[in-house]
Amino acid sequence: MSPHETAPADDVLVACDDAALTFGRGANAVVAVHGATLRVRAGDRLAVVGPSGSGKSSLLHLLAGLERPTSGTVSWPALHAGPGDIGLVFQGDSLIPALDVVENTALPLVLAGMPDDRARQEAIAALALVNAAELAERLPEEISGGQAQRVAAARVLAQAPRLILADEPTGRLDHTTGGHVLDALLTAADRTGAALVVTTHDPAVAARLTTRLAMRDGRLITRQRAEETP
Ligand code: ADP
Ligand code: MG
């Protein structure tokens, strides 16, 4: 190893190398992502911007391990259990209708084996951090879209993942409400020390993240700085 290779491998949460994603075959093939190369490292605050259909969601699905690349590779060098350490927030994130807000927030913890009482306490603490404590006893049908997105951020926060991937989390919200959701995600990332990747077509949302990568027609058209992509 040369002395210039300073970044330890375990600093990289996701490594995408020339990863492509094609849907369909032959004449019907749609190349959603063309050979994307990027690194997401601990502490990163990354926005992926681009118009509708440019491949933002597809790229995020590759980073999450929800889709396997058609060619190239995606790996998670620092995530011991692979993509299991990733918290996902989707646009219009669906909460489970029969569970109240605390139960929805606690669910991933309960599913991971945490005792109910402790999971509930963690969920309440996470809701307080995103200013949603007063929603605790409500059912999803009794809260607004912006509130539901804050609950989705709290659910991720409670999970304490190393990487948070949010796909247009403010997409259907007005600016003020979207700002609160982004506050919640940034709080979640700061509190848990997670890296955060947010897709958006809103420049005001992108401006609040440290690094912006633009996509057009399935291509990443902004490169990370040279020192960020070994
Ligand atoms: P964005 O999130 O930027 O709107 P997407 O990643 O959703 O873009 O889509 C990129 C391209 O891939 C679009 O042309 C879209 O129609 C196509 N696409 C996305 N998902 C699928 C799918 N499951 N099957 C076929 N085509 C898809
Ligand atoms: Mg999308």
Side-chain angles (χ1 to χ4, degrees), residues 23-24 30-33 50-59 67 167-168:
F23 292 106
V30 175
V31 184
V33 179
S52 183
S54 59
K56 303 181 298 298
S57 295
S58 300
L59 178 64
E67 297 279 1
D167 195 10
E168 306 233 20

Side-chain angles (χ1 to χ4, degrees), residues 4 56 67 84 98 115 186 191 205 211:
H4 299 292
K56 303 181 298 298
E67 297 279 1
L186 288 164
R191 291 293 176 129
V205 169
T211 309

Side-chain angles (χ1 to χ4, degrees), residues 102 105-106 117-129 132-133 136-137 158:
V102 184
T105 309
D117 280 0
R118 216 186 118 211
R120 201 179 167 81
Q121 281 169 17
E122 299 279 346
I124 288 169
L127 287 164
L129 280 175
E137 311 293 331

